[in-house]
Amino acid sequence: MIGTAVAYTLAIFIVLAAVATALFRDVLSAIVVFGAYSLGMAILYTFLLAPDVAMTEAAIGAGVTTILLLLTIARTTRPSTDRLFERVNVPAVIVVGAFVLVLGTLLPDMYAVGTESAPVWGEQGVLTETPSLYYIENTFGDTGAQNAVSAVLASYRGFDTFGEAVVVFAAAIAVLLVLKREVFT
């Protein structure tokens, strides 16, 4: 019961932070709230037992992106604003509201995290018929790789791993461009 309350509290915090990020007119305020949003997402991913995604969100979302945006503001001029919040675009709110309503109708069909009735879990919480079990049993036969982790990253999820590497590389190049440092000479 406490875990559910924590998850709902995190979800409410994340939604409020996302809305505040979109509505703040002051860029610095939006960046700070966006950093809090990313940190909330990292905590939620940890709660949902996805530590790899949580570490990536904390490092890239809350860490590197926030620092990159703050450095960009420091190197540029900040326009003064009279209003604290942006004007609300009513058609956009209607479209987003309809999307949230559709997603909300699908939410009751989802399994609760860690329940035994979820498809990933079998009797008494033992893993049965899962992708993890398949990888453990068939990695060498499918890929010829001795290391199951390397086989998953390079063979089964090769395009995903390549995409993640491209994102990290692009972020590093953006940081170098903003900081105007010549590292390549």
Side-chain angles (χ1 to χ4, degrees), residues 149-183:
V149 174
S150 297
V152 169
L153 290 176
S155 294
Y156 294 119
R157 297 183 64 208
F159 287 118
D160 183 48
T161 302
F162 176 71
E164 291 169 359
V166 167
V167 168
V168 171
F169 179 74
I173 295 298
V175 168
L176 291 174
L177 290 174
V178 168
L179 295 178
K180 293 182 181 178
R181 302 207 186 226
E182 294 274 339
V183 180

Side-chain angles (χ1 to χ4, degrees), residues 6-175:
V6 170
Y8 283 126
T9 304
L10 279 170
I12 290 169
F13 171 78
I14 290 166
V15 169
L16 291 176
V19 170
T21 300
L23 292 180
F24 269 125
R25 187 158 174 82
D26 181 44
V27 177
L28 181 60
S29 299
I31 291 171
V32 170
V33 174
F34 175 74
Y37 162 83
S38 291
L39 188 60
M41 286 299 297
I43 294 168
L44 183 63
Y45 289 139
T46 303
F47 180 77
L48 295 175
L49 304 176
D52 56 334
V53 180
M55 287 188 296
T56 303
E57 180 66 33
I60 303 287
V64 174
T65 303
T66 302
I67 291 170
L68 179 63
L69 292 172
L70 289 174
L71 287 172
T72 303
I73 285 180
R75 296 208 176 253
T76 59
T77 59
R78 253 177 82 193
S80 62
T81 57
D82 296 334
R83 297 185 321 241
L84 181 61
F85 294 104
E86 285 287 334
R87 290 192 180 104
V88 176
N89 184 343
V90 176
V93 170
I94 292 171
V95 169
V96 169
F99 183 69
V100 167
L101 186 63
V102 168
L103 288 178
T105 59
L106 300 174
L107 196 58
D109 293 335
M110 295 179 67
Y111 292 97
V113 176
T115 60
E116 291 185 14
S117 63
V120 174
W121 298 99
E123 295 179 7
Q124 300 173 353
V126 178
L127 288 173
T128 58
E129 302 292 327
T130 65
S132 300
L133 189 60
Y134 176 83
Y135 293 147
I136 290 169
E137 292 175 351
N138 299 309
T139 295
F140 185 74
D142 288 350
T143 65
Q146 297 289 333
N147 187 323
V149 174
S150 297
V152 169
L153 290 176
S155 294
Y156 294 119
R157 297 183 64 208
F159 287 118
D160 183 48
T161 302
F162 176 71
E164 291 169 359
V166 167
V167 168
V168 171
F169 179 74
I173 295 298
V175 168

